[in-house]
């Protein structure tokens, strides 16, 4: 496994070196997007963890950090591609934002790759040049019910596709000073309810996983604990910051009650709030503290409700 990671690191670093040429970056945006997203889909979800409650699972400290090294190099390449896509960013004399077609296409390819990876739809059935794509759950007009128990199902902290989406959305908001209708420009074909409910799922699950590790729910899993602490470590902030941004973006686009209910459900705290002591556990007070911390972080950059349009996420 270590040899595989070392080879992957060398390959990704070579790609990063080549793509630092602006012409090459623009060529990839134009002609090699699907190939690159297949690579990201392959890396997405590496090293999944599942909570162990019976046997102690140790870890090899010579391999545990390698997925983070791979993810960092991929993040550098993603940044170069996104910057290349936004080279044609323009604003006309009437201050109407003109998002370049290359950035819009990049966003659609990224969303299609995310949906294809999690199995909501088969991206091969959609024409690569289509601007009105069937994005499955992203196009739902109602808030979908998504249930996932992090303590019983597999969880992973590596998600280069979501990191890529973060870079795209962040670039648009930054270049437009937050004054852009995202669902009318970058996310045409998506609807706020479906988009928010589905895109917030992965970053939310990772934060729940980290909260459970801090609450000692994963004490039998050394590798999982290592991954959580490295995810939160300052040296790897790209994952933490990008996931928080996506949670904030979805929070600004979602109905507040359904958004908070989704967070409570993922943390497994709905019964706790209803004071159902029969289903309570020793971990719930710590999880509640982490949940409140997350909600405060998600709200700290959101303006008062009367100044926020659900179709115009606030400036981050």
């Amino acid at each position: 496994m270590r040899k595989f990671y070392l080879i992957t690191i060398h390959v990704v670093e070579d790609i990063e070196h080549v793509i630092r040429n602006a012409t090459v970056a623009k060529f990839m945006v134009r002609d090699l997007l699907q190939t690159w997203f297949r690579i990201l889909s392959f890396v997405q979800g590496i090293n999944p963890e599942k909570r162990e409650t019976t046997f102690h699972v140790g870890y090899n400290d010579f391999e545990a950090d390698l997925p983070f090294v791979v993810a960092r190099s991929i993040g550098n390449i993603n940044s170069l591609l996104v910057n290349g896509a936004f080279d044609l960013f323009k604003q006309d004399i009437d201050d109407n934002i003109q998002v370049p077609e290359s950035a819009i296409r990049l966003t659609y390819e990224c969303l299609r790759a995310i949906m294809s990876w999690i199995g909501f739809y088969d991206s091969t059935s959609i024409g690569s040049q289509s601007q009105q794509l069937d994005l499955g759950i992203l196009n739902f007009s109602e808030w979908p019910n998504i249930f996932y128990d992090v303590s019983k199902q597999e969880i992973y902290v590596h998600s280069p596709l979501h990191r890529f989406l973060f870079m795209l959305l962040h670039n648009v908001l930054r270049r437009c000073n937050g004054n852009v209708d995202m669902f009318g420009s970058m996310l045409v074909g998506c609807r706020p309810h479906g988009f928010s409910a589905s895109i917030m799922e992965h970053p939310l699950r990772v934060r729940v996983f980290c909260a459970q590790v801090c609450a000692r729910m994963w004490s039998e899993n050394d590798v999982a604990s290592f991954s959580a602490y490295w995810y939160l470590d300052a040296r790897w902030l790209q994952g933490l910051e990008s996931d928080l941004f996506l949670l904030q973006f979805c929070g600004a686009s979602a109905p507040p009650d359904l958004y908070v209910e989704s967070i409570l459900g993922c943390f497994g705290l709905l019964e706790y709030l209803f004071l159902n002591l029969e289903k309570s556990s020793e971990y719930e007070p710590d999880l509640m503290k982490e949940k409140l911390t997350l909600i405060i972080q998600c709200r700290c950059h959101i303006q008062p409700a009367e100044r926020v349009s659900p179709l115009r996420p606030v400036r981050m």
Side-chain angles (χ1 to χ4, degrees):
M1 182 63 70
R2 178 175 175 81
K3 183 177 180 181
F4 167 77
Y5 277 123
L6 291 177
I7 293 174
T8 303
I9 290 171
H10 286 309
V11 170
V12 172
E13 287 179 343
D14 288 343
I15 295 175
E16 178 184 353
H17 176 73
V18 172
I19 205 174
R20 286 192 177 277
N21 182 293
T23 302
V24 176
K26 292 178 181 178
F27 170 76
M28 279 197 68
V29 169
R30 187 181 70 244
D31 298 322
L32 297 177
L33 276 186
Q34 293 185 355
T35 300
W36 178 243
F37 281 121
R38 280 197 292 270
I39 294 175
L40 297 188
S41 298
F42 176 76
V43 178
Q44 180 102 344
I46 57 174
N47 274 24
E49 303 291 345
K50 192 171 184 179
R51 183 177 173 227
E52 179 60 62
T53 59
T54 305
F55 302 101
H56 184 80
V57 180
Y59 71 91
N60 184 340
D61 59 350
F62 292 104
E63 295 183 0
D65 64 322
L66 293 180
F68 289 90
V69 178
V70 173
R72 182 169 60 182
S73 295
I74 286 177
N76 293 337
I77 296 174
N78 286 345
S79 180
L80 293 169
L81 287 174
V82 171
N83 288 336
F86 280 96
D87 279 349
L88 300 177
F89 197 94
K90 296 180 181 179
Q91 188 168 0
D92 64 26
I93 56 175
D94 295 322
D95 290 332
N96 292 319
I97 304 300
Q98 296 180 343
V99 181
E101 287 294 325
S102 56
I104 295 174
R105 182 190 174 201
L106 207 58
T107 303
Y108 272 114
E109 293 291 349
C110 183
L111 291 173
R112 290 173 60 189
I114 291 174
M115 291 296 99
S116 179
W117 189 86
I118 61 179
F120 281 120
Y121 83 106
D122 181 6
S123 63
T124 60
S125 65
I126 301 173
S128 60
Q129 301 301 319
S130 174
Q131 290 298 304
Q132 295 292 335
L133 301 179
D134 177 11
L135 293 174
I137 195 173
L138 297 180
N139 193 37
F140 281 16
S141 58
E142 300 294 331
W143 191 268
N145 292 320
I146 302 174
F147 179 78
Y148 196 92
D149 192 336
V150 175
S151 66
K152 296 180 180 179
Q153 296 172 261
E154 285 189 342
I155 184 67
Y156 55 91
V157 300
H158 303 288
S159 54
L161 291 171
H162 287 76
R163 310 289 189 262
F164 201 112
L165 180 62
F166 150 71
M167 291 181 182
L168 289 164
L169 300 179
H170 185 267
N171 260 276
V172 171
L173 291 175
R174 178 174 57 83
R175 294 169 187 263
C176 300
N177 294 318
N179 297 315
V180 59
D181 179 356
M182 296 295 289
F183 289 92
S185 57
M186 288 284 286
L187 302 173
V188 177
C190 299
R191 297 184 181 180
H193 284 202
F195 178 90
S196 300
S198 55
I199 295 301
M200 71 180 283
E201 263 299 298
H202 170 71
L204 177 57
R205 291 174 190 174
V206 176
R207 291 300 296 266
V208 171
F209 163 65
C210 292
Q212 291 180 353
V213 169
C214 292
R216 303 293 297 167
M217 288 180 62
W218 291 68
S219 57
E220 297 294 340
N221 302 69
D222 287 348
V223 175
S225 299
F226 185 92
S227 296
Y229 287 123
W230 271 56
Y231 172 83
L232 297 172
D233 191 282
R235 290 170 293 178
W236 312 101
L237 271 179
Q238 183 190 67
L240 180 61
E241 289 183 344
S242 64
D243 286 350
L244 180 58
F245 173 91
L246 290 177
L247 285 170
Q248 291 173 332
F249 185 96
C250 293
S253 308
D257 55 338
L258 295 176
Y259 179 76
V260 173
E261 184 177 333
S262 294
I263 294 177
L264 288 171
C266 197
F267 270 90
L269 293 172
L270 288 173
E271 297 291 342
Y272 181 80
L273 289 182
F274 286 110
L275 300 179
N276 188 341
L277 300 181
E278 294 180 357
K279 298 183 178 181
S280 63
S281 75
E282 60 184 295
Y283 307 112
E284 287 176 340
D286 289 329
L287 294 177
M288 177 60 72
K289 181 177 68 175
E290 295 294 333
K291 184 268 298 183
L292 291 174
T293 299
L294 176 60
I295 290 179
I296 292 172
Q297 289 176 335
C298 290
R299 291 289 301 172
C300 66
H301 294 299
I302 297 180
Q303 303 171 17
E306 63 272 12
R307 299 175 58 191
V308 178
S309 166
L311 300 184
R312 183 168 293 182
V314 297
R315 181 182 180 183
M316 302 295 180

